[in-house]
Amino acid sequence: MGNSALRAHVETAQKTGVFQLKDRGLTEFPSELQKLTSNLRTIDLSNNKIENLPPVIIGKFTLLKSLSLNNNKLTALPDELCNLKKLETLSLNNNQLRELPSTFGQLSALKTLSLSGNQLRALPSQLCSLRHLDVVDLSKNQIRSIPDIVGELQVIELNLNQNQISQISVKISSCPRLKVLRLEENCLELSMLPQSILSDSQICLLAVEGNLFEIKKLRELEGYDKYMERFTATKKKFA
């Protein structure tokens, strides 16, 4: 795209605090945004071909609340991203990320994290430090098991659909706020699903279709009636 068009976008963003430039074939993060580090609240550069985020620039958007880079070619995130202390929404679906920066737990305001369609092989332990995180989407990755640290997650909704999960720690039942757990299309045997999810957790929506067992077998498990009580109570609340 031409410089004049980019300039026009930058001028508009200066007034609105929103910079949106999708579907433009960009191969790098626009350096022109350096001028706007102190007033941008939203950046959306989805559906481009960006391969990395410039460490020097990205950490300076101190007022940024929402950052979307869905459908790009990111393979890693710089540590400097974690300086964004006001960031509430981070959408990085359909990139090529294998891990998160070790400092990711410093994104203390983060509420919604979308990492669907990446190459993560494990549940990132850094997420356990994020006390305000409500919704995490890790669907369509390569996660094989859910370890004990999951019990420290503060999320309300956890989407793990379409991974390769065959093992889940019983600690998932200890998640203090977890209400919605999505595990569709994984590699779970019924014997690997902790029964405490049904009998002794806060979870009121458990989605497990497309695993290695029939749903009717789930209904025969001890604790299923307790789960259904929570499910029905929640349904009534939103009816």
Side-chain angles (χ1 to χ4, degrees):
M1 70 177 294
N3 278 347
S4 56
L6 184 55
R7 244 195 327 271
H9 276 278
V10 170
E11 281 170 21
T12 305
Q14 211 150 9
K15 296 170 193 152
T16 62
V18 176
F19 185 85
Q20 190 176 60
L21 207 55
K22 304 197 291 190
D23 301 294
R24 297 303 179 98
L26 296 177
T27 54
E28 52 189 43
F29 191 90
S31 57
E32 290 80 357
L33 293 188
Q34 286 184 82
K35 303 168 192 163
L36 304 177
T37 50
S38 58
N39 57 348
L40 278 189
R41 284 170 177 74
T42 300
I43 295 176
D44 189 349
L45 292 165
S46 295
N47 307 340
N48 283 293
K49 296 173 183 174
I50 297 168
E51 292 182 11
N52 52 51
L53 299 178
V56 179
I57 303 175
I58 198 68
K60 292 182 178 171
F61 292 98
T62 48
L63 296 179
L64 201 64
K65 287 196 163 185
S66 174
L67 177 60
S68 297
L69 286 149
N70 300 320
N71 302 305
N72 275 281
K73 296 188 173 183
L74 296 171
T75 54
L77 301 173
D79 285 345
E80 287 78 1
L81 177 72
C82 307
N83 296 340
L84 307 181
K85 298 291 188 268
K86 298 211 167 164
L87 194 67
E88 294 180 2
T89 303
L90 180 57
S91 294
L92 298 165
N93 297 328
N94 302 319
N95 279 280
Q96 296 159 26
L97 298 169
R98 290 172 181 267
E99 58 184 7
L100 300 180
S102 59
T103 50
F104 199 81
Q106 293 172 16
L107 290 171
S108 50
L110 202 61
K111 292 180 180 175
T112 304
L113 175 63
S114 302
L115 286 163
S116 179
N118 279 279
Q119 296 171 16
L120 299 171
R121 291 176 177 269
L123 182 81
S125 60
Q126 300 93 312
L127 303 187
C128 298
S129 312
L130 299 168
R131 308 327 273 170
H132 299 288
L133 200 54
D134 291 333
V135 179
V136 175
D137 185 354
L138 296 170
S139 61
K140 300 180 183 174
N141 276 280
Q142 297 163 18
I143 300 168
R144 291 170 183 266
S145 65
I146 304 302
D148 288 352
I149 52 148
V150 71
E152 296 169 36
L153 269 183
Q154 297 292 317
V155 297
I156 296 169
E157 177 169 345
L158 180 58
N159 186 344
L160 292 162
N161 289 347
Q162 292 178 284
N163 276 278
Q164 298 160 18
I165 297 165
S166 59
Q167 286 186 309
I168 302 181
S169 166
V170 69
K171 300 275 189 195
I172 199 159
S173 312
S174 315
C175 290
R177 300 200 303 152
L178 187 59
K179 297 274 195 283
V180 178
L181 178 58
R182 301 186 187 279
L183 286 162
E184 293 177 335
E185 295 180 48
N186 276 283
C187 307
L188 281 167
E189 301 272 2
L190 189 57
S191 59
M192 287 293 152
L193 192 71
Q195 286 195 19
S196 53
I197 288 178
L198 300 173
S199 61
D200 193 24
S201 77
Q202 302 288 319
I203 295 165
C204 48
L205 177 60
L206 175 65
V208 287
E209 287 80 5
N211 278 282
L212 307 179
F213 58 87
E214 295 175 46
I215 293 298
K216 65 179 183 189
K217 296 281 188 198
L218 179 71
R219 297 183 190 127
E220 293 164 10
L221 289 183
E222 199 178 324
Y224 187 79
D225 51 342
K226 281 191 174 178
Y227 161 68
M228 280 312 291
E229 281 171 20
R230 295 193 302 273
F231 175 80
T232 310
T234 306
K235 225 173 169 182
K236 279 182 185 158
K237 205 187 290 181
F238 292 107

